[in-house]
Amino acid sequence: MTALPRRSLLAAGLFLGLTGIALAQAPAAPAGERFITVASTTSTQDSGLFNHILPLFKAKTGIEVRVISQGTGQALDTGRRGDADVVFVHARAQELKFVEEGFSTERRPVMYNDFVLIGPKSDPAGVAGSKDIVAALKKIQEKAAPFVSRGDKSGTHAAELNLWKVAGIDIAAQKGSWYREIGQGMGAALNTSGAMGAYVLSDRATWISFKNRGDLVISVEGDQRLFNQYGVMSVNPAKHPHVKVADGKRFADWLTSPEGQKAIADYKIDGQQLFFPNAGQAGA
Amino acid sequence: MDVGAIFQAAFALVVGLDPGFLGIVFLSLRVTLTAVLIAALIGLPLGAALALARFPGRAAIIVCLNALMGLPPVVAGLAVFLLLSRSGPLGPLGLLFTPTAMIIAQVILVLPIVIALTRQVIEDLWSEYRDHLRSVGLDGLRAIPTLLFDGRFALATALLAGFGRASAEVGAVLIVGGNIAGYTRTMTTAITLETSKGDLPLALGLGLVLLSLTLMINAIAFGASRIGARYAG
Amino acid sequence: MLSVSSILPLTVEAAAFFGDGKLLVAPNSFVIPAGGLTVLLGPNGAGKSLTLRLCHGLLTPSRGTVRWAAGAEARAKGQRKGHAMVFQKPIMLRRSVEANITHALAAAGSNGAERKTRVTQALQRFGLGERAGQPARLLSGGEQQRLAIARAWALRPELLFLDEPTSQLDPAATRQIEELLSGLVAEGITVMMSTHDLGQARRLADRVLFLHRGRLVEDALAKDFFAGPHSAEARAFLAGELLW
């Protein structure tokens, strides 16, 4: 064998290998040994709520919360597969189904915000200023005004589909080229609406913290039917024995405790409160 | 959009030395460099062996590798995701949504590039060196160390290509890492996040920083290999 | 030169070589004893290069045998094979002059202090001392071929094969290499080289093997060959008539 090149290759390989091991061992962040994984929605993440409340929770309990932000449907699936300890989403019917399937033993309401219909200033459907979301959707459909749908099985998407149903429109059958499903998160949907001059249903929290508004404004708000409830569920260890039951429950407990509820209420952008705590409220 | 705002955002990120931002940069480099390193340790010898060995099915393997160079990152990510999910075959390892998962996904993306380019480089070098190496008794696989060493500058380019693919990639790390703040958030997933938050100047600013880092690493590697190549002729 | 441990004579018996179903080297037989410089002469495509490769072991004869004397077996158990080869276009590793020699010695199994001594000797013997640290591939063509010979010499071959070693060099460099080769023969190294250059063959050869279309046409002492070749092909070649 060629002693010289082999020796130098060996040395180089060894050096690189050791560097690699050192790099791989180095912690990315001062990650506490205690952590839980929470599957949540894009709205809680993109609005900045987690950046506000998670440090408070960590300071109190020493538990780091790792948040995967996905659409509600995807987040529930992450919980179903056992890849998260806690699911924190907003689609009541889907959440109750999750509990019914046995993936969680309990769903607890945490807070709500509301949806708003966002649209271009030019208001092609003539719905601006209305408080009736159902009438507004009917008009949009009649005039075939551009409308962006999340189309990603998220809580917002579920809420939107439900509103079409309430408006008596079978959107699956009646959608035309004006109805655009993008299959992405809230922020992406807002970016797309801005670029296309389209209407879009958004949660208020994401809207308030959204920075690339361009010509977009709130067209419809204040309708009771735009209510958006968030619930928290810890994953059932009977389904996935490895989940961190105690720490997960601790997080859910804290969110619904007076302290957690206050933290949620305290989160404001430009003086506007984004989420309204309502833990323990019957029927929420 | 205001171009000034983009540069301002990029500038503020770099000058501010925000620990969160530095963590993201460090994690990005750590994940990508580790992935490239592992891919090199596996891919260089394997690519060289593929260049020298003759066996049935070799052509098919080469074609497959060339095709895999174009594997969509999302597909690689999805495959690793299903593998590492708690409900998947490797679930008990608990690796999903960790930097290790991101490294695994990126190794899968980088490895075909390293193997395919190494094979090309070593095959060319072997056709030049063959007579002499066989004459001094280095035949077949015994020639690999010499060929890898003498092909080091061309091989550095192969590794850079792998580095480029890994560092620019977002689909796979987003799926298997989960974009967890402070834990699995990299430059590219942070850009995706800021884009979805509508903070386009910050997103582009991050992009600018990523570009500068990539540029810097490429410049260093290029300079080093140029000086080295001049020395080695 | 002949001793119990010698690998010479080299005996080639009816060694033929086919490529793509065509006969490229006819079943030729010849013997290379120790000492002197044998030139493989012939026009392009005569099979000179292939014959050298068959002898050196880079190619395996399709038929017939290439056999070394008893010493080869003893050597095979050690590491050195006792013969080395220099190619038409010098093959320079992408390393320094010194490292090129070191690498060949390492590959052949030489180790430690012995290797170091031999590298130093080779650099001195071939006037490459000042070039030791320079990249081999940046040397001139003549210097590269000189290094290739130094590298082969460092392996202490009994028999050195050279394939058209000067065909890519200018006249001055050619003359230098020829002087080197005469020196090697004087040192006791047996040399077997191919050339299509008649002048070079006249200057260097002790013995000529004349090849034509893969067939060994004449095997004669150089002075006899140039004085009066027996075959029509050799006469035509000496007369400068194009042959292939």
Side-chain angles (χ1 to χ4, degrees):
Chain A
M1 269 325 244
T2 67
L4 179 83
R6 189 171 61 168
R7 201 187 302 146
S8 39
L9 273 180
L10 210 70
L14 210 66
F15 169 74
L16 288 173
L18 290 174
T19 317
I21 290 163
L23 278 169
Q25 297 296 320
E33 283 116 54
R34 280 181 81 186
F35 71 89
I36 55 168
T37 305
V38 174
S40 188
T41 67
T42 50
S43 53
T44 41
Q45 170 92 334
D46 291 4
S47 64
L49 175 70
F50 279 136
N51 289 343
H52 174 69
I53 64 169
L54 295 185
L56 298 173
F57 177 67
K58 170 134 196 223
K60 174 157 174 98
T61 61
I63 300 170
E64 182 189 323
V65 178
R66 293 179 180 167
V67 179
I68 321 288
S69 83
Q70 302 169 318
T72 291
Q74 213 185 340
L76 286 165
D77 281 343
T78 300
R80 281 193 182 94
R81 274 190 308 267
D83 291 325
D85 304 306
V86 175
V87 181
F88 184 22
V89 292
H90 63 100
R92 194 165 182 273
Q94 292 184 47
E95 290 161 35
L96 292 176
K97 185 162 169 262
F98 188 83
V99 173
E100 210 172 281
E101 290 165 351
F103 287 104
S104 177
T105 51
E106 186 192 13
R107 168 192 176 271
R108 285 187 265 175
V110 177
M111 63 189 186
Y112 71 89
N113 68 349
D114 62 342
F115 291 115
V116 288
L117 184 70
I118 304 297
K121 260 190 208 121
S122 58
D123 193 24
V127 298
S130 158
K131 281 198 171 186
D132 186 343
I133 183 65
V134 168
L137 288 181
K138 281 179 178 159
K139 271 190 187 167
I140 289 172
Q141 191 260 341
E142 273 162 28
K143 299 195 174 170
F147 183 94
V148 167
S149 168
R150 290 275 296 274
D152 64 348
K153 288 189 178 179
S154 60
T156 307
H157 185 215
E160 178 217 314
L161 293 178
N162 190 46
L163 287 169
W164 287 113
K165 206 188 281 173
V166 173
I169 296 166
D170 180 0
I171 195 65
Q174 289 174 262
K175 67 183 171 194
S177 64
W178 56 275
Y179 185 82
R180 293 158 190 173
E181 292 166 284
I182 63 166
Q184 295 187 63
M186 196 66 254
L190 284 168
N191 279 329
T192 310
S193 302
M196 301 197 308
Y199 292 94
V200 60
L201 190 72
S202 170
D203 63 284
R204 188 185 292 273
T206 305
W207 169 251
I208 288 174
S209 59
F210 188 70
K211 292 191 175 146
N212 184 34
R213 293 185 184 180
D215 273 342
L216 295 176
V217 292
I218 292 180
S219 298
V220 178
E221 63 181 327
D223 191 317
Q224 284 290 319
R225 288 167 292 200
L226 289 171
F227 188 86
N228 181 26
Q229 178 67 43
Y230 287 79
V232 67
M233 300 172 288
S234 50
V235 175
N236 188 354
K239 287 272 186 185
H240 293 289
H242 64 269
V243 295
K244 297 167 179 164
V245 196
D247 287 354
K249 186 169 178 302
R250 193 105 189 257
F251 181 59
D253 286 348
W254 182 80
L255 278 178
T256 51
S257 73
E259 191 184 342
Q261 295 274 295
K262 181 176 181 303
I264 292 169
D266 284 348
Y267 181 56
K268 289 180 179 140
I269 292 179
D270 299 334
Q272 295 189 62
Q273 182 175 342
L274 274 74
F275 295 93
F276 300 87
N278 66 342
Q281 181 184 314
Chain B
M1 191 186 355
D2 185 7
V3 178
I6 298 166
F7 281 94
Q8 209 178 335
F11 189 71
L13 280 173
V14 176
V15 173
L17 291 181
D18 170 57
F21 168 70
L22 288 181
I24 288 174
V25 172
F26 181 75
L27 178 71
S28 299
L29 287 175
R30 176 189 151 211
V31 167
T32 303
L33 289 175
T34 310
V36 171
L37 180 86
I38 293 171
L41 291 178
I42 302 171
L44 291 177
L46 223 56
L50 192 59
L52 302 187
R54 291 290 177 274
F55 54 90
R58 177 176 178 271
I61 289 179
I62 290 171
V63 170
C64 285
L65 279 171
N66 289 344
L68 278 177
M69 292 210 290
L71 177 73
V74 178
V75 176
L78 199 57
V80 174
F81 177 89
L82 293 174
L83 213 61
L84 297 183
S85 169
R86 287 289 184 176
S87 305
L90 300 181
L93 298 176
L95 287 177
L96 193 63
F97 303 140
T98 64
T100 308
M102 301 197 286
I103 292 170
I104 292 171
Q106 292 205 335
V107 167
I108 291 175
L109 289 177
V110 173
L111 197 54
I113 295 186
V114 174
I115 295 179
L117 295 182
T118 300
R119 180 196 65 82
Q120 192 60 55
V121 167
I122 297 303
E123 216 166 86
D124 291 349
L125 202 56
W126 175 239
S127 74
E128 182 191 332
Y129 280 12
R130 179 172 44 214
D131 282 338
H132 172 64
L133 292 188
R134 292 187 60 209
S135 172
V136 296
L138 297 180
D139 206 351
L141 300 185
R142 295 188 64 213
I144 287 178
T146 303
L147 293 169
L148 283 179
F149 184 79
D150 276 41
R152 57 199 178 275
F153 302 114
L155 293 174
T157 311
L159 294 184
L160 273 185
F163 175 81
R165 175 147 157 101
S167 68
E169 179 289 312
V170 63
V173 288
L174 192 58
I175 292 179
V176 304
N179 190 25
I180 299 169
Y183 185 58
T184 57
R185 180 162 302 164
T186 64
M187 304 278 293
T188 53
T189 62
I191 291 170
T192 308
L193 178 67
E194 292 308 330
T195 305
S196 77
K197 283 159 102 171
D199 197 342
L200 303 193
L202 183 56
L204 267 176
L206 276 163
L208 211 58
V209 174
L210 177 60
L211 191 65
S212 314
L213 271 173
T214 311
L215 198 68
M216 224 154 66
I217 289 175
N218 270 283
I220 292 169
F222 184 78
S225 90
R226 268 306 266 280
I227 292 168
R230 189 174 308 148
Y231 173 77
Chain C
M1 202 51 211
L2 270 172
S3 67
V4 189
S5 68
S6 176
I7 63 166
L8 296 171
L10 163 66
T11 311
V12 175
E13 278 176 345
F17 186 74
F18 293 89
D20 281 338
K22 274 186 282 186
L23 181 70
L24 299 179
V25 177
N28 298 320
S29 299
F30 57 89
V31 173
I32 304 290
L37 191 151
T38 303
V39 161
L40 270 175
L41 190 65
N44 285 327
K48 306 186 294 288
S49 185
L50 289 176
T51 301
L52 286 177
R53 279 155 201 265
L54 285 171
C55 292
H56 188 45
L58 292 180
L59 294 175
T60 310
S62 310
R63 275 189 219 144
T65 56
V66 172
R67 214 172 48 205
W68 299 89
E73 267 179 53
R75 278 187 181 256
K77 282 175 195 142
Q79 294 114 336
R80 269 151 271 145
K81 54 183 180 180
H83 50 106
M85 184 156 174
V86 169
F87 300 90
Q88 185 168 8
K89 187 175 182 302
I91 299 171
M92 297 285 106
L93 302 190
R94 286 159 174 75
R95 310 170 187 220
S96 70
V97 167
E98 185 175 359
N100 262 274
I101 301 174
T102 309
H103 175 269
L105 282 168
S110 156
N111 48 30
E114 185 204 11
R115 185 160 75 206
K116 229 172 181 175
T117 317
R118 289 223 225 155
V119 170
T120 314
Q121 282 174 350
L123 288 170
Q124 274 172 2
R125 165 77 172 72
F126 293 87
L128 291 165
E130 284 178 19
R131 295 263 191 263
Q134 290 182 15
R137 294 165 63 84
L138 297 189
L139 299 180
S140 70
E143 286 172 323
Q144 288 196 5
Q145 200 55 288
R146 186 137 52 96
L147 171 56
I149 293 170
R151 191 169 62 185
W153 180 86
L155 296 171
R156 301 269 166 89
E158 284 185 56
L159 173 55
L160 178 62
F161 298 105
L162 300 104
D163 186 9
E164 304 262 6
T166 62
S167 68
Q168 310 216 337
L169 303 181
D170 60 39
T174 299
R175 191 55 56 94
Q176 263 198 342
I177 297 295
E178 287 179 3
E179 277 167 24
L180 270 182
L181 294 180
S182 302
L184 293 180
V185 175
E187 225 178 86
I189 297 174
T190 309
V191 175
M192 182 174 178
M193 67 179 279
S194 65
T195 184
H196 63 274
D197 177 348
L198 263 179
Q200 185 166 61
R202 281 183 206 276
R203 288 191 292 275
L204 294 177
D206 297 313
R207 176 185 170 199
V208 171
L209 298 179
F210 181 73
L211 284 172
H212 182 236
R213 292 189 188 168
R215 204 162 50 83
L216 178 62
V217 178
E218 285 203 47
D219 177 352
L221 289 178
K223 59 180 188 337
D224 297 337
F225 179 81
F226 291 114
H230 296 292
S231 64
E233 291 94 336
R235 274 195 295 277
F237 185 72
L238 287 178
E241 289 164 27
L242 198 61
L243 280 175
W244 56 74

